[in-house]
Amino acid sequence: MAERKRIAILISGRGSNMAALIYAARADDCPYEVALVTGDKDDASGLALAQAEGVSVSRLDAKKLGASYWHVLEKTLRETDIDVIALAGFMRILPDTFVANWQGQIVNIHPSLLPKHKGLKAHDAVLAAGEDVTGATVHLVTTALDDGPALGQVEVALIPGDTAETLAERVLIAEHQLYPRVLAEFASRETDPDWIVAKVGELTLKLPETHAKTSHGSPGWRVGSETSGKFFAYVSIRHHGEAPIALLVKTSGPDEMAALIEAKPDLYYRPAYYGASGWIALRLDGRQVDWDHVAEWLERSWRLLAPARLTRLMRAADEF
Ligand code: GAR
């Protein structure tokens, strides 16, 4: 199995969703581990539970830390080498800079079927609206409150006579089922070959005159016309007994290839067959793939293989 993603859970209170995530992570095949529990109240009752379960806890208090709170939190998360932040009843709005620093890496659970009933008192709003079904949503966090793309939802039916309390209790049971499942899917998404191929495809197709084409069973991308284009990238998936998943791109030659492999042996390797003609393999199965770096490599490889009329255009655009 790929390396587990390191999750930090942020709470403000009892942390029952946090507990659901901690217990789900005990399964051998869970793709995440709970590396840290923290939050904005140093006496939140959930912290004692996490501590008793042997999870590392950082007791931060937003009121006591004042203006330095977000900075201290950021530092704690970086020092713990966190990949994904899971908000679980964390009742504080994240500043835009914090969200930007962790773009695409923060998830939240909200007790309604978003986009319906955002914000606080969701159950009261559900009752007031006379809904006959509500539920919970796990979504990616963006700068707008409770507004990022939904990653998963579960429905909960209303029962005549429901109050905000009875509803909250039942929705919470549904939340405990939903959150671990959706977080597991999210954490393993980036090691799923289909997701990786789609992501590389998306980046390659931003370059001029490119198209996808399979080569000996591997997904590949070419520059130029459909009939005479040249391959500038491939994704190798468990081929020839090599590392599981890698991007193959063209280097300037054997010297550069050797220097790169020597400098970063965990990231680069010489692929079978292709290595002889200057192609290098860049691993895409690590815990933290730097997709900006992947995009730079794709552009470089594209430049080496694109016809002169296209690279001239690209150079003109660079100078512009
Ligand atoms: C949960 O119902 C969660 O969905 C909600 O707070 C509760 C926390 O319970 N979150 C929000 O309302 C966020 N806007 P817990 O501490 O027992 O997990």
Side-chain angles (χ1 to χ4, degrees), residues 13-236:
R14 89 198 130 170
S16 72
N17 276 291
M18 169 209 74
L21 296 176
I22 291 175
Y23 298 135
R26 299 247 162 102
D28 288 340
D29 62 351
C30 184
Y32 66 83
E33 63 179 298
V34 181
L36 179 72
V37 171
T38 186
D40 61 345
K41 291 199 180 102
D42 60 4
D43 60 352
S45 59
L47 298 175
L49 188 156
Q51 211 155 4
E53 294 295 354
V55 177
S56 150
V57 167
S58 181
R59 289 182 184 267
L60 304 184
D61 197 285
K63 278 211 181 102
K64 291 179 193 157
L65 287 164
S68 67
Y69 169 69
W70 291 103
H71 174 73
V72 175
L73 176 63
E74 175 83 45
K75 193 160 168 278
T76 308
L77 295 166
R78 298 290 173 197
E79 280 169 1
T80 325
D81 198 16
I82 292 304
D83 300 313
V84 175
I85 299 170
L87 309 180
F90 183 68
M91 297 302 187
R92 193 163 283 270
I93 292 176
L94 310 178
D96 290 358
T97 47
F98 185 87
V99 176
N101 290 345
W102 294 89
Q103 207 198 352
Q105 293 168 275
I106 311 177
V107 296
N108 179 41
I109 188 155
H110 182 80
S112 78
L113 294 175
L114 291 175
K116 285 183 162 182
H117 314 300
K118 299 175 181 177
L120 296 172
K121 299 201 181 281
H123 304 301
D124 289 314
V126 166
L127 291 167
E131 308 276 16
D132 50 19
V133 62
T134 181
T137 305
V138 174
H139 65 97
L140 263 181
V141 172
T142 56
T143 47
L145 182 67
D146 297 335
D147 201 40
L151 300 170
Q153 285 188 318
V154 59
E155 289 189 355
V156 172
L158 271 87
I159 300 175
D162 258 335
T163 62
E165 289 69 36
T166 60
L167 203 49
E169 212 174 289
R170 233 165 40 256
V171 169
L172 197 62
I173 299 172
E175 289 184 44
H176 297 166
Q177 306 301 312
L178 179 74
Y179 210 173
R181 176 171 63 75
V182 174
L183 187 62
E185 277 167 15
F186 184 72
S188 55
R189 190 183 66 151
E190 291 176 22
T191 50
D192 170 10
D194 291 342
W195 187 87
I196 292 175
V197 170
K199 178 83 185 172
V200 172
E202 204 180 288
L203 296 173
T204 52
L205 300 179
K206 282 186 189 156
L207 296 162
E209 272 189 47
T210 59
H211 57 270
K213 193 173 169 72
T214 307
S215 165
H216 304 290
S218 285
W221 292 269
R222 306 201 310 176
V223 52
S225 73
E226 295 274 347
T227 48
S228 64
K230 281 190 175 169
F231 280 101
F232 68 98
Y234 305 90
V235 171
S236 155

